[in-house]
Every structure is written in structure tokens, then in C-alpha cells.
DNA sequence: GTCTATAAGCGGATAGAC
DNA sequence: GTCTATCCGCTTATAGAC
């Protein structure tokens, strides 16, 4: 169970409206949940947390409403009361994930690329660590050709990437970053950081571990920052 | 019920060196396929090619034998003649993919890390370009916790990584490579290169393209080699 | 809001003719 | 080797009592 975790990455303390599935739909102020009862907000949040895990493990088609219901501890008909269809539940998870990720990139043109990119890499790695299931659901959807999230991707993510790519291009124009395609740089950061959630099973086996620990993520951060900063960012000393 | 089920054909069982799905099972010399008929080798190869596409698009559970059969143009019962179960067909694809990838890393300790790593990055990118569906099937399986390929992973891939990591460590010991964890370096190369097949849908949308072209892969190669070589490999030249 | 029961359809696998 | 027909379990979604 992941309830009550802190999803915020270390560098920033961004007050983001959309939190993870676990924190979805804050109950209104003054609202209390009786110990034995669930209530709308709590049931919905519990379903989302469990569904995230089940979708990640079995995929959209392999996941069943019965399995989700069983793990939540309710009859499967109840899920249909909160989410009209299986796909609606699935889509809700995808959109939540995306908002969380977008909030991880706080950098703008005033920042130095060195500090900004390292913070972004570490923030994304942090999400891979604390919310790996969400990342897997996303990956599964994209892998299959984004049949359900495509439209949202073309609107929300595309616009976001345009603004961030412009910032990166600004750094290049200022001579603080090697002339690389900004979008491909973003892709590389996503690919490497999300790899530590999406391919965690493979990594765990190849590192002969039971599960990935903080130290493994720190090693990942070392390699990734060394690659990105060492390979692309011009050191402050050489600036003139 | 899961492992050990390969092909059940009555007469000849095949312990053939695994090739790509497209090239699976070359007919023996002198063997001719009548234009209208298929023959064992051709049917099996056709099934594998189509199944790769269907598994990549729908996932293990979303893919159906009926859908594969329909695209091949045969009744679904015929597939069961060549592959005892759906899982056997799926596993065959996974093992084929892995062997192809492993063959892409030709480097050894005598090579320079610069030439070896660039060649490896470009070879992996090449596979992402020419065989993206295979990569997606693999990613899907790992994402879901490697329920079927786990054992194979623990044997075949783990041993392979050990030998390759030793070579990379050798470069570090010789002072030709920055002191990074060799396994995490491999993970980064896999993550970034496979991203261009696994997340091709997302990349295509964000680049406002219809499909990824050779030029996109070349740009990817530029960014990746600049990151890996510029950030980790010690050499006379660094930033250009 | 929560539950039981069930409708309606799909999917993997097999039998057995040719 | 290829095909048609079919069994049987599982899945989503709904109906309707409480």
C-alpha cells in the first residue's frame, strides 16, 4: 500500500493541484470519514491506487475489474459506480500520471542549465522510485500506440514540450549548452529516468537484488548527471 | 503449463538457431514452396512476424489468436498446430528478440571505449528502427514483471551482462572511461536506444511527424553519443 | 452507496473430418 | 497440414434488492 506517501521531489515543493492517484480528490474541509465506512472520496482513491498496481502488472486488457475489486475488498459492481467503464478508470490514471510528471520540470530560462537539468533528472528519478506503477501504466499505453491517451497527448503534452524545448534552446543560444536538439534531450532524460521504474524488474535481476534501493537510484543519478552535464553542459569555468 | 512448451509438431522438432522472426526457419536447400501452398517453414515464419505486430499493439492479454490468424489469413486452429499455446508463441518471440540484441554488442577489452560504445549505440538504435515491434513486446513483458521470461533473463541475460560489465570495468581501470557503474551505463544505453522504438508513438507526436525517419534516428545518435562519449569517455576532444 | 445475481459475449483450446 | 465446429471458462456491464 502506498497511501499517504510524499510524492514531492526533493528540490522543489511545488503546490501542484493534481497529485497522484493516492491523493486524488481531497475531501472538502470539515469532511470526516467514519472509521468503518468509506465514503465517496476514500473509495475512489482506494480504487485508483489498486487499479494503478493492477494495470501495471497485467496491462489494460490483462487487468480485470474483478481483480481490482478483490484487492480493494469490494464487489466489482461498486467500481462501476465510481468509474463508468474500465477504460474511464484507466484514462483517469494516465492523466494523473502525466500531470505529476509535468510538474517535475520547474526550470525556466533564468536558471542555469547545470542546476536545472540536474534537478529535473533527480525529480524524475524520484517519481520513478516512489510511483513506479504509474510510470508502467503510461509506458504500456504508449507502447501499444497510445490508443486511448493519444488525443490528450497531442494537446497537453505537445504544448508543454514546446515551451520547455524553447527554454533549452535559449540555453543553447546563450552558449551554455552544446547544440543538441532540445526535444531529443528531453527524450533521453525521460527514457533513462523512467527506465528505472518501467524496467525495474530487469534491473533488479541484473543487479542481483531483491528490490531497488535508494543507493541504486543514487548511482543512477550519478551516471545520468555525469552523462548529461558532462557531455552537454559547458562548465562554468570555460564561460567567458 | 508455462515453460518448456515450444512447438508440438509431430514429425520433426526444431532446435534451430534462433533468428529474427522474419527470417525464422530457412527452408532446407532444395526445398521449394509451391506458389499457392505455405509449408511448415513459411507458415511458422509468417505467424511469428504477424504475432510480433499483434503482441506489440495489444499486449500479451489483448492479443488474440483469432486476430493473429486473421492477419495471417489462416484459421486460428492452425496456429495451435505450430505453437501449442499462445504463451509458447509469445515466449518464442521474446527469446528471438533477446538473441538479436545480444549480438549487437561486439566489443571487447581490446577496443577503445569511444569506438566500441558509439558502435553499440548505433547498432541498438538500428534495431529500434528496423524491428520496433519486437522491442515493444519485450518492454511489455518486462513492464509486467517478466512473468514468463524471468527465468531466461536470470540465466542468459545475467551472464551476458556480467561479461560485458567486466569489459567496461576494464576500460575504467585503464583510465579510458570515467568511473561509473558499468551496469548502469548499459542500462542507460538500453533505455535511450529502445526508447526510440518503445515510445515511438509519443516521439512521433511530439516531433509533429507522421513517422520516425532516418534523420530522426541520426539526431538521436548525435545526442546519445555526445552524452555518453562526451560525458564519460576521456579523450583529447570533448565539447565541439 | 453497497451488494448479489446474471446477462451477453469473447477467447483459448480441442475434436475430428478431409 | 488445413479446415469447420464447438466446448467451456472468463469478462464487462447491468438489473435490481437492500
Amino acid at each position: 500500500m502506498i497511501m499517504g506517501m510524499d510524492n514531492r521531489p526533493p528540490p522543489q515543493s511545488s503546490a501542484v493541484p493534481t497529485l497522484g492517484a493516492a491523493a486524488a480528490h481531497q475531501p472538502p474541509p470539515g469532511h470526516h470519514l467514519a472509521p468503518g465506512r468509506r465514503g465517496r472520496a476514500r473509495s475512489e482513491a482506494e480504487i485508483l491506487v489498486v487499479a494503478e498496481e493492477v494495470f501495471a502488472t497485467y496491462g489494460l486488457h490483462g487487468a480485470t475489474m474483478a481483480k481490482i475489486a478483490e484487492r480493494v475488498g469490494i464487489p466489482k459492481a461498486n467500481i462501476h459506480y465510481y468509474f463508468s467503464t474500465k477504460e474511464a478508470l484507466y484514462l483517469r490514471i494516465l492523466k494523473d500520471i502525466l500531470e505529476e510528471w509535468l510538474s517535475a520540470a520547474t526550470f525556466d530560462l533564468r536558471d542555469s542549465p547545470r542546476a536545472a537539468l540536474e534537478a529535473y533528472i533527480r525529480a524524475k528519478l524520484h517519481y520513478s522510485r516512489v510511483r513506479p506503477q504509474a510510470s508502467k501504466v503510461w509506458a504500456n499505453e504508449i507502447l501499444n500506440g497510445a490508443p486511448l491517451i493519444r488525443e490528450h497527448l497531442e494537446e497537453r503534452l505537445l504544448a508543454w514540450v514546446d515551451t520547455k524545448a524553447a527554454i533549452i534552446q535559449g540555453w543553447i543560444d546563450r552558449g551554455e549548452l552544446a547544440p543538441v536538439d532540445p526535444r531529443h534531450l528531453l527524450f533521453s532524460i525521460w527514457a533513462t529516468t523512467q527506465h528505472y521504474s518501467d524496467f525495474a524488474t530487469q534491473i533488479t535481476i541484473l543487479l542481483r537484488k531483491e528490490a531497488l534501493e535508494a543507493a541504486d537510484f543514487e548511482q543512477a543519478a550519478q551516471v545520468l548527471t555525469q552523462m548529461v552535464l558532462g557531455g552537454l553542459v559547458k562548465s562554468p569555468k570555460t564561460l567567458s
Side-chain angles (χ1 to χ4, degrees), chain A:
Chain A
M1 191 64 82
I2 321 172
M3 296 283 292
M5 66 191 180
D6 185 2
N7 285 333
R8 286 165 299 186
Q12 309 88 6
S13 54
S14 52
V16 185
T18 314
L19 300 175
H25 275 300
Q26 298 289 349
H31 179 88
H32 276 277
L33 296 171
R37 302 185 60 206
R38 287 203 154 86
R40 167 157 222 111
R42 180 165 160 195
S43 288
E44 200 175 302
E46 282 183 16
I47 291 168
L48 282 167
V49 170
V50 171
E52 188 172 299
E53 170 90 21
V54 175
F55 280 126
T57 307
Y58 300 97
L60 168 59
H61 300 282
T64 67
M65 301 296 265
K67 195 161 278 170
I68 296 170
E70 184 198 344
R71 295 199 192 181
V72 177
I74 57 175
K76 64 178 178 175
N78 290 25
I79 299 180
H80 284 286
Y81 177 76
Y82 290 100
F83 300 92
S84 57
T85 65
K86 183 185 177 183
E87 291 186 352
L89 172 57
Y90 176 76
L91 261 177
R92 167 68 174 277
I93 294 172
L94 288 179
K95 291 182 181 177
D96 279 355
I97 295 162
L98 181 61
E99 290 309 313
E100 202 163 62
W101 278 345
L102 298 192
S103 73
T106 58
F107 56 84
D108 67 33
L109 198 48
R110 291 164 301 190
D111 298 313
S112 78
R114 173 168 292 270
L117 291 177
E118 174 159 5
Y120 183 47
I121 290 169
R122 287 186 178 273
K124 282 289 272 112
L125 269 178
H126 178 77
Y127 282 123
S128 287
R129 190 175 157 211
V130 300
R131 221 156 154 230
Q133 306 310 328
S135 181
K136 290 181 185 179
V137 179
W138 180 270
N140 227 314
E141 167 70 6
I142 303 300
L143 222 53
N144 298 345
L148 297 177
I149 202 66
R150 168 165 244 126
E151 205 173 330
H152 190 69
L153 223 162
E154 289 169 344
E155 294 165 9
R156 182 82 177 103
L157 184 56
L158 183 55
W160 185 93
V161 165
D162 284 344
T163 68
K164 295 302 176 185
I167 294 172
I168 295 172
Q169 186 60 50
W171 289 331
I172 295 172
D173 294 341
R174 289 208 310 238
E176 297 177 15
L177 200 64
V180 294
D181 185 290
R183 284 175 179 77
H184 286 271
L185 173 54
L186 285 173
F187 300 158
S188 290
I189 292 174
W190 297 345
T192 47
T193 55
Q194 290 168 214
H195 188 78
Y196 283 87
S197 51
D198 301 344
F199 285 72
T201 301
Q202 177 176 293
I203 293 174
T204 302
I205 291 172
L206 297 180
L207 293 181
R208 292 188 168 82
K209 298 241 179 175
E210 290 297 312
L212 297 184
E213 301 156 19
D216 300 311
F217 281 88
E218 180 54 34
Q219 275 203 304
Q222 297 284 342
V223 174
L224 299 186
T225 55
Q226 214 167 334
M227 276 173 43
V228 174
L229 303 184
L232 303 180
V233 179
K234 298 182 179 176
S235 117
K237 294 171 185 174
T238 62
L239 286 178
S240 55

